[in-house]
Amino acid sequence: MSFNSYYDGFGFRFNTTYIDACIPDEKQQNEYCKIWTEKYKKCFAGATPDDMGEWLIKSQKSIWEIYSSATILIEAECNLNNNCFVAFYFCLYYALFHAMYSLLFIAPDIQLDKLYRISHATLLNSFKDHYTGKNGMFDEKAIEQFENLKYKREYYSYNSPLNLVFSDADDELKRTKKLILSLFQTMYLNSYIASCNSKMYNLNDLSDPTGFHTKYVKFFSNVDIVKLYEDLKKYEKDKYSLMDKYYKLEENKNQLIAARKAGDTSIDNKIISDASRNAAQAKTKLDDTSIKLERVEKELSNVSLDEAAKNVFHEVNHGERVIGITKIQLEVDHMFDEFHGYDHMEDTEPIGFNPCEANNLVYNSIW
């Protein structure tokens, strides 16, 4: 049987080959859709415009991760064809990483902030909790494949073998590609279920447009903006603390000098020298911290969206897009165009890797 029995009710037919293989039984397929429908209904029951603003970010980020996975998978194939095994296992692992990551963005009970620059261990545990077992699409083999590729990626990255250590690279690619395409189709299905049970609002409904903009930039910016803000707070605190310390030491030095000039014989050259040195050291630390603070402030002033996200955010920011989760199958081609995925083709002829192949991979996993 096929998961298309769910899509039929909406007048669509999509490619469900890979997820049909994950859950071949029709009764279990229906149960899966029922379980996730209830999860999303509960999630969106009291959703505010600000909540759906986060879901817009989550749904767009899930598409972003799908394209990241597809692009890296195509590169993995190129690396294998050229016998570049270090790069092959590196890319194959991260192709799977980003495919799993895409699913976490549409999990109904994972807060957006919890997904920012997620660790590898957290990603694996979260994926296991939400998408394997009784209510999941996947079994332990998906977890084992992730751990297997992680081991091989680390082996080749850190041990730099001079020969072919693992002889099953071709089979590894086939297994991983099949799993990745299953993850893609699961993300499409779940996002469709979510969109059919979600609320939609307009941009003007947001109570905190600035906060929405900050979160959007946070997930699509070209730097670690959270780390920058953490550094900003630290250096500001350090600067004021060091400034207070420096002023006190400088005042103490000046008082000692003044007392010595007034005739206080108990203050010798060593005392003056020590006080001067302490004040100078404090000034050096203050100056160093001020420089670091200025550097962070400059970096923050230059923070911008990744070039591929600017056009998409332009649509959001000008109210051309409703706020909520979209039917991702119907969005990917538009998003790829907005990401400027074809730009590479304008001036150069790709050697071995064609970025359009990533779009073809995604597109063929849908239709």
Side-chain angles (χ1 to χ4, degrees), residues 101-145:
Y101 197 18
S102 72
L103 271 171
L104 297 188
F105 278 99
I106 58 167
D109 54 348
I110 300 180
Q111 296 298 313
L112 179 62
D113 287 341
K114 299 292 184 182
L115 295 170
Y116 183 72
R117 297 191 179 243
I118 194 170
S119 71
H120 296 234
T122 300
L123 179 142
L124 185 60
N125 290 333
S126 296
F127 178 84
K128 186 175 182 179
D129 290 343
H130 290 85
Y131 293 103
T132 65
K134 182 180 178 181
N135 301 330
M137 184 71 73
F138 303 94
D139 55 24
E140 283 295 319
K141 290 182 180 179
I143 305 300
E144 292 172 1
Q145 184 65 358

Side-chain angles (χ1 to χ4, degrees), residues 134-177:
K134 182 180 178 181
N135 301 330
M137 184 71 73
F138 303 94
D139 55 24
E140 283 295 319
K141 290 182 180 179
I143 305 300
E144 292 172 1
Q145 184 65 358
F146 182 94
E147 293 174 332
N148 167 51
L149 289 180
K150 184 173 183 291
Y151 166 75
K152 289 180 177 178
R153 188 266 298 179
E154 291 174 346
Y155 189 97
Y156 269 95
S157 297
Y158 302 134
N159 289 284
S160 300
L162 301 178
N163 57 0
L164 180 58
V165 178
F166 308 110
S167 59
D168 61 342
D170 290 311
D171 291 337
E172 198 81 85
L173 176 61
K174 292 177 183 178
R175 286 194 300 271
T176 306
K177 186 172 184 177

Side-chain angles (χ1 to χ4, degrees), residues 317-328:
N317 218 26
H318 286 76
E320 299 169 23
R321 210 178 256 273
V322 292
I323 297 173
I325 184 169
T326 58
K327 293 177 175 61
I328 289 175

Side-chain angles (χ1 to χ4, degrees), residues 170-204:
D170 290 311
D171 291 337
E172 198 81 85
L173 176 61
K174 292 177 183 178
R175 286 194 300 271
T176 306
K177 186 172 184 177
K178 181 180 178 181
L179 174 56
I180 287 173
L181 292 171
S182 300
L183 292 163
F184 285 6
Q185 291 187 353
T186 303
M187 196 273 281
Y188 306 148
L189 175 63
N190 279 35
S191 72
Y192 204 97
I193 295 172
S195 69
C196 291
N197 293 279
S198 71
K199 297 180 178 181
M200 291 292 180
Y201 295 97
N202 293 319
L203 187 71
N204 293 335

Side-chain angles (χ1 to χ4, degrees), residues 5 22 47 65 80 84 96 106 113 155 161 180 343 351:
S5 60
C22 292
E65 293 303 319
L80 182 59
C84 300
L96 180 57
I106 58 167
D113 287 341
Y155 189 97
I180 287 173
D343 285 357
I351 302 173

